[in-house]
């Protein structure tokens, strides 16, 4: 539907879906995939199209990359002979056994053509600028979406340690063993990303800083407790973070006034 609502100084505009669709003969291509945040054939097709575009760039080009949480599922490009199904199965097994997001991404990057700096490497010698929306506490750019424009700091031994820890090394498909062995013997080492600028443009920390600033403009004395989720009782937080002798007004919030 289409409409406009005025409320004080605010104006909200609703657009019909058709107004957000691409015009005929547009140079922009849209790929949909990763239904339910799981990599699928549609996402693989999109990833390979992105890889082909990146590999065709020159030193005179600039690749602008927009990255957000969910990017791992949206950009699956397993290193042959690993198949998408094999990579999915291994990821699900690790998740079911309690692997952390950092451990999952370490394995994903080792088996991917585009993660762990692979996209940046494909685009070389073009300059790459990545604008990143973080969904990971602390905003580690190498973890968000498995870091397609960030060189991986992990090696094959890290992967083997994770697989051993969760009892999966013996059950690895032959294709996965082949890719890990090939990477372990690669004299070039991990890809370099000196031609890349990674910029966090949205995160818990940035949102909290803005919320704190706006609260102070309104006359509140604001304290940012944490950019992460807390599991300590609210009473303990109130005890730890008293502001000039006055407890926070809303103990469960991340910004206290």
């Amino acid at each position: 539907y289409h409409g406009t609502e005025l409320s004080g100084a605010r104006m909200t505009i609703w657009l019909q879906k058709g107004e957000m669709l691409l015009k005929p003969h547009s140079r922009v291509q849209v790929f949909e995939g990763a239904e339910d945040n799981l990599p699928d054939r549609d996402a693989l097709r999109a990833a390979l199209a992105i890889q082909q575009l990146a590999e065709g760039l020159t030193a005179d080009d600039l690749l602008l990359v927009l990255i957000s949480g969910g990017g791992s599922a949206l950009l699956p490009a397993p290193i042959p002979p690993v198949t998408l199904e094999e990579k999915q199965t291994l990821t699900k097994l690790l998740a079911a056994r309690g692997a952390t997001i950092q451990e999952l991404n370490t394995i994903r990057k080792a088996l991917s053509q585009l993660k762990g700096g692979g996209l940046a490497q494909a685009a070389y010698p073009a300059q790459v600028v990545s604008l990143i929306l973080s969904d990971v506490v602390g905003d580690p750019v190498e973890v968000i979406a498995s870091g397609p424009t960030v060189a991986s700091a992990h090696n094959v031994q890290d992967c083997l340690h994770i697989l051993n820890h969760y009892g999966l090394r013996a059950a690895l498909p032959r294709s996965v063993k082949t890719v890990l062995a090939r990477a372990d013997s690669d004299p070039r080492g991990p890809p370099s990303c000196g031609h890349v600028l990674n910029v966090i443009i949205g995160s818990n920390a940035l949102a909290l800083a803005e919320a704190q600033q706006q609260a102070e403009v309104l006359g509140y004395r604001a304290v940012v407790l944490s950019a992460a989720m807390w599991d300590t009782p609210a009473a303990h937080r109130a005890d730890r973070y008293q502001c000039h002798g006055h407890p926070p007004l809303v103990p469960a919030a991340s910004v206290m006034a």
Side-chain angles (χ1 to χ4, degrees):
Y1 52 90
H2 181 278
T4 302
E5 175 186 289
L6 290 174
S7 176
R10 291 186 174 183
M11 181 174 69
T12 304
I13 300 176
W14 293 276
L15 297 174
Q16 293 178 340
K17 184 178 180 181
E19 295 183 30
M20 295 185 290
L21 298 179
L22 298 176
K23 303 302 181 183
H25 311 299
S26 171
R27 297 180 61 186
V28 177
Q29 288 182 278
V30 176
F31 294 87
E32 296 185 13
E35 187 175 354
D36 297 324
N37 200 33
L38 294 173
D40 54 24
R41 287 290 163 184
D42 289 332
L44 175 61
R45 181 170 62 91
L48 296 179
I50 290 171
Q51 181 181 24
Q52 183 179 24
L53 181 149
E55 290 175 342
L57 300 178
T58 70
D60 295 325
D61 293 314
L62 170 67
L63 178 63
L64 182 63
V65 186
L66 306 179
I67 297 175
S68 68
S72 289
L74 286 166
L75 201 69
I79 299 173
V82 178
T83 66
L84 180 62
E85 291 74 20
E86 288 173 329
K87 191 175 178 183
Q88 282 179 300
T89 298
L90 180 56
T91 301
K92 289 178 181 177
L93 287 173
L94 284 165
R97 300 191 183 197
T100 66
I101 184 61
Q102 289 82 3
E103 290 171 329
L104 288 173
N105 283 356
T106 297
I107 300 299
R108 286 169 174 158
K109 288 186 283 189
L111 301 178
S112 173
Q113 299 180 74
L114 297 177
K115 295 176 174 64
L119 177 58
Q121 186 180 38
Y124 185 83
Q127 293 295 305
V128 179
V129 175
S130 288
L131 306 180
I132 304 170
L133 292 172
S134 172
D135 67 334
V136 183
V137 172
D139 308 331
V141 290
E142 73 277 4
V143 175
I144 303 165
S146 300
T149 58
V150 184
S152 177
H154 299 285
N155 55 36
V156 172
Q157 294 308 312
D158 295 322
C159 295
L160 295 179
H161 175 77
I162 294 169
L163 295 167
N164 282 330
H165 179 72
Y166 293 104
L168 292 173
R169 183 172 179 179
L172 290 178
R174 182 182 298 273
S175 59
V176 173
K177 294 179 180 178
T178 298
V179 168
L180 292 178
R182 187 189 304 158
D184 197 31
S185 60
D186 190 344
R188 297 174 299 175
S192 172
C193 294
H195 59 301
V196 180
L197 175 63
N198 292 299
V199 183
I200 298 286
I201 62 170
S203 68
N204 280 354
L206 291 174
L208 288 170
E210 180 64 21
Q212 181 183 28
Q213 181 178 348
Q214 291 302 314
E216 290 172 346
V217 168
L218 294 173
Y220 292 97
R221 185 178 298 135
V223 178
V224 177
L225 297 187
S226 174
M229 295 297 293
W230 285 56
D231 58 2
T232 53
H236 292 175
R237 293 200 300 272
D239 288 342
R240 286 187 63 190
Y241 292 90
Q242 294 208 359
C243 185
H244 299 280
H246 300 286
L249 297 179
V250 189
S254 292
V255 176
M256 302 303 170

